[in-house]
Amino acid sequence: MRTVGTAVAGLKDIQSLVPTLVELAQRHSGWDVLPEHFPVVGEALLWAVGNALEERWVTEVKSAWEAVWGTIVSVMEPALREANLARMPEEDRVLVRVEESWALVAEANDLQDLGVKVFLKIFEIAPAALQLFSFKDETPLEESAGLKLHATLVMRTVGTAVAGLKDIQSLVPTLVELAQRHSGWDVLPEHFPVVGEALLWAVGNALEERW
């Protein structure tokens, strides 16, 4: 409650309050607090304040408290995530970063559109690669139904791969089968860097400043 008081007192100068909230989030990381705990704490805090204020807990006051809590969470949650990641082994940290960033990309973007961007980038990097696809003569290429379908399937496969990263051994048969199918389409090992560059470019663009 003293910390809540400190936060309320510092609301007029949020920038000065940020280090306190970040340090608080970092300490809570050591107590195994997770981002999903914030809504629970927020609900309990507003319930307690509302009960204390009784009839003075009007809509305007409640809305103000909700805004304040949202501001606190907007600072503490990213700091807590980073602190939790820092405590993980490097391998686990990489997996979490990939999973969380892909979730952001999938939530904010149409996977078909994202996939089309990936393939257009592939053809920009390696124009000859277009000849490997059945839709090579369709124009305009970005409107090709064949490209859109293939792009969607590829993005779903990326999502499946990301979801399976914590159990690589179970993911291996899927990746092997995928490689074997691509062998029949004249895909070569040297195409992997091109696809990787295009995929990372598209994901980076989708994540913007979070990349």
Side-chain angles (χ1 to χ4, degrees):
M1 289 301 99
R2 287 178 182 171
T3 301
V4 173
T6 299
V8 170
L11 287 175
K12 290 183 179 178
D13 186 3
I14 291 291
Q15 291 308 310
S16 296
L17 181 61
V18 166
T20 300
L21 296 178
V22 168
E23 190 272 337
L24 184 63
Q26 291 169 339
R27 279 197 284 120
H28 277 73
S29 173
W31 302 327
D32 296 326
V33 174
L34 300 173
E36 49 263 40
H37 294 147
F38 283 108
V40 177
V41 175
E43 181 180 346
L45 175 62
L46 268 63
W47 171 85
V49 173
N51 273 9
L53 288 174
E54 297 177 339
E55 72 280 355
R56 291 164 294 184
W57 187 244
V58 295
T59 300
E60 292 82 358
V61 175
K62 181 181 179 182
S63 296
W65 272 92
E66 288 174 343
V68 166
W69 180 248
T71 298
I72 291 172
V73 172
S74 72
V75 175
M76 289 189 64
E77 184 173 341
L80 179 65
R81 289 184 184 277
E82 286 303 312
N84 285 347
L85 283 171
R87 295 172 59 230
M88 293 180 181
E90 175 64 20
E91 182 176 337
D92 291 345
R93 189 157 58 243
V94 168
L95 295 183
V96 170
R97 288 196 186 280
V98 171
E99 288 171 349
E100 290 186 347
S101 58
W102 180 253
L104 289 172
V105 169
E107 180 181 351
N109 295 268
D110 181 277
L111 289 185
Q112 181 186 92
D113 290 344
L114 184 68
V116 168
K117 289 176 183 176
V118 170
F119 276 93
L120 292 178
K121 189 66 174 179
I122 288 172
F123 304 143
E124 177 187 318
I125 299 169
L130 178 59
Q131 300 308 309
L132 298 173
F133 297 92
S134 60
F135 49 78
K136 61 182 181 295
D137 296 322
E138 296 181 23
T139 57
L141 184 58
E142 61 271 17
E143 297 298 328
S144 163
L147 170 57
K148 290 180 178 180
L149 175 60
H150 191 71
T152 302
L153 293 174
V154 170
M155 291 300 98
R156 288 177 182 169
T157 301
V158 172
T160 299
V162 169
L165 286 174
K166 288 183 177 176
D167 187 4
I168 290 292
Q169 292 309 309
S170 296
L171 181 60
V172 165
T174 300
L175 297 178
V176 168
E177 189 271 338
L178 186 62
Q180 290 170 338
R181 278 196 285 123
H182 277 73
S183 173
W185 301 326
D186 296 326
V187 173
L188 301 173
E190 49 264 38
H191 292 145
F192 283 107
V194 175
V195 176
E197 181 181 343
L199 176 62
L200 267 62
W201 171 84
V203 171
N205 274 8
L207 288 172
E208 297 178 336
E209 74 279 355
R210 293 165 295 187
W211 184 242

